[in-house]
Amino acid sequence: MRSKHQGQGASGARLTASDWAQAALTAIGEGGLAAVAVEPLATRLGATKGSFYWHFQNRKALIEAALRLWEREHTEMIISAMEADPDPAARLRRLFTLVVGYSRHDRIEIALMATADDPMVAPVVQGVTERRVAYVAAQFEQLGLPVGEARGRALLAVSVYLGHIQLAHAAPETLPRDSGEWERHLSGMVDTFLP
């Protein structure tokens, strides 16, 4: 039976399932799936385990919520933001600049890729990757490329994004550090992708 209250965080505000999912996603970025544990997350949130159980039946449900949050924040919200621009070339330029720039600091994606064979993570990573490739391919198609070529360029672009994440994590010194050099790097990369 659930308690009468949902639990409060350190600030005194009531915690939501989203608060727990965000804390779990942060923990994944810091230490992978193994870092998602109820007691440390409760401590981080300034809450009790009872607050957790108010929102989630178990740890698996929390991880599933965190994965849905990652999918929404790291893919769907970005795609929605790109759609504000009516020009597909401008959308692609903005998208590549944003996500490759962000990739230098994206520890969540690294952690999820490292556990991509986990039964909970695998279908989400597969779905997100396919969604990203399909979106980028659709932009190339709008620029007039045939379906096969658009898909090939999209796959290459998503691969470069994932490669940037790996480089930033494993060998950050290989990436440009100076802001001007980084801007030239990004611009050259985008120019290579665009037809």
Side-chain angles (χ1 to χ4, degrees), residues 6-7 9 13-22 45 51 54-56:
Q6 296 176 21
R14 289 197 183 270
L15 293 174
T16 65
S18 294
D19 294 327
W20 281 95
Q22 186 61 62
L45 290 168
S51 172
W54 176 266
H55 297 291
F56 298 98

Side-chain angles (χ1 to χ4, degrees), residues 72-171:
R72 189 171 58 252
E73 288 185 349
H74 291 240
T75 300
E76 296 306 327
M77 289 174 65
I78 291 170
I79 287 172
S80 292
M82 295 304 113
E83 288 300 303
D85 197 318
D87 176 32
R91 281 195 297 264
L92 285 170
R93 188 169 293 282
R94 280 182 52 225
L95 177 64
F96 292 146
T97 301
L98 174 70
V99 299
V100 172
Y102 179 77
S103 73
R104 295 187 288 180
H105 312 289
D106 191 351
R107 302 196 55 82
I108 296 168
E109 190 114 10
I110 283 286
L112 291 175
M113 292 298 166
T115 56
D117 59 347
D118 181 277
M120 283 191 293
V121 176
V124 178
V125 168
Q126 177 65 37
V128 162
T129 303
E130 182 52 45
R131 174 73 167 116
R132 290 170 177 177
V133 171
Y135 179 75
V136 174
Q139 306 317 299
F140 284 129
E141 286 177 43
Q142 288 182 32
L143 290 172
L145 294 180
V147 172
E149 185 179 346
R151 172 95 180 163
R153 280 187 195 235
L155 190 55
L156 180 61
V158 172
S159 297
V160 167
Y161 162 70
L162 293 173
H164 264 270
I165 291 173
Q166 290 291 338
L167 284 173
H169 176 71

